[in-house]
Amino acid sequence: MSRIDDSRDFIPVRIAVLTVSDTRVESDDRSGNVLVDRLEAAGHKLAARGIVKDDRAAIAAQLRVWCDDPEIDVVLSTGGTGLTGRDVTVEAHRDVYEKEIDAFGVVFTHVSMAKIGTSAVQSRATGGVANGTYLFALPGSPGACKDAWDEILVKQLDYRHKPCNFVEIFPRLDEHKRRK
């Protein structure tokens, strides 16, 4: 079972938070605030924060900018993962991914089922890797952001988490680019 190995030192991760919304501004961005509060409380660093409209090209462009920034290790986006016509965050993420973390969406659905029952099928939360950066697309509700952070990300973004975690493989995410 998973556990924290106290013999290992905590390694802070640099995380950017992107809210996808046609209507939100930072002052009323409850989901973005949930993520910022939780990542900082866990000891990580907020590396960047932004809001972008529900536009596939604009979302993908911002993700690429942050993936190219060596001061950002992880991007968490919130919003635009549903089923409506304006929900294009998942498609934008997949435009950027080099590899998708398929199990992230599966585990998120499992966590959500315990909270909201079969309504969990309406979320398309996803995760992936691009240019050595982890990307996660979370639903736009504060509750879903809490669930994703508290049940999955806080553990996987902690180097002390055993038996394995995302942090310990950071150095190997872009090893294919270094091979000759």
Side-chain angles (χ1 to χ4, degrees):
M1 207 59 191
S2 69
R3 63 180 175 83
I4 294 294
D5 180 350
D6 289 323
S7 71
R8 291 178 130 182
D9 291 331
F10 178 79
I11 299 173
V13 176
R14 300 164 298 190
I15 303 173
V17 175
L18 180 65
T19 298
V20 177
S21 176
D22 289 333
T23 60
R24 294 278 178 241
V25 294
E26 194 168 319
S27 63
D28 69 355
D29 179 14
R30 293 180 24 226
S31 295
N33 291 338
V34 162
L35 292 171
V36 170
D37 291 347
R38 276 173 159 65
L39 73 88
E40 290 179 339
H44 299 297
K45 179 185 178 216
L46 178 64
R49 185 169 181 182
I51 297 177
V52 67
K53 300 282 186 205
D54 291 284
D55 177 83
R56 183 175 177 169
I59 298 164
Q62 184 60 66
L63 294 175
R64 285 186 184 100
V65 165
W66 284 347
C67 286
D68 288 341
D69 186 336
E71 297 301 313
I72 295 175
D73 302 312
V74 176
V75 177
L76 304 177
S77 71
T78 175
T81 63
L83 301 173
T84 72
R86 298 289 293 155
D87 292 326
V88 295
T89 301
V90 173
E91 290 74 19
H93 269 251
R94 288 181 174 146
D95 289 344
V96 176
Y97 291 165
E98 292 167 2
K99 293 184 179 188
E100 190 160 358
I101 305 170
D102 298 312
F104 178 79
V106 173
V107 173
F108 180 80
T109 300
H110 179 77
V111 167
S112 296
M113 283 286 297
K115 309 283 175 116
I116 62 171
T118 61
S119 294
V121 302
Q122 293 186 33
S123 172
R124 299 183 303 136
T126 185
V129 178
N131 200 25
T133 304
Y134 289 108
L135 302 124
F136 299 97
L138 311 176
S141 78
C145 289
K146 288 175 186 175
D147 292 344
W149 182 266
D150 295 349
E151 302 294 331
I152 306 168
L153 295 171
V154 72
K155 297 168 186 162
Q156 283 298 300
L157 295 176
D158 189 332
Y159 178 68
R160 303 167 303 166
H161 184 266
K162 291 292 202 166
C164 57
N165 60 75
F166 290 142
V167 179
E168 63 193 1
I169 60 174
F170 266 128
R172 296 179 46 216
L173 291 179
D174 61 358
E175 67 188 358
H176 64 287
K177 295 178 181 179
R178 296 188 302 268
R179 277 193 217 126
K180 297 288 181 212

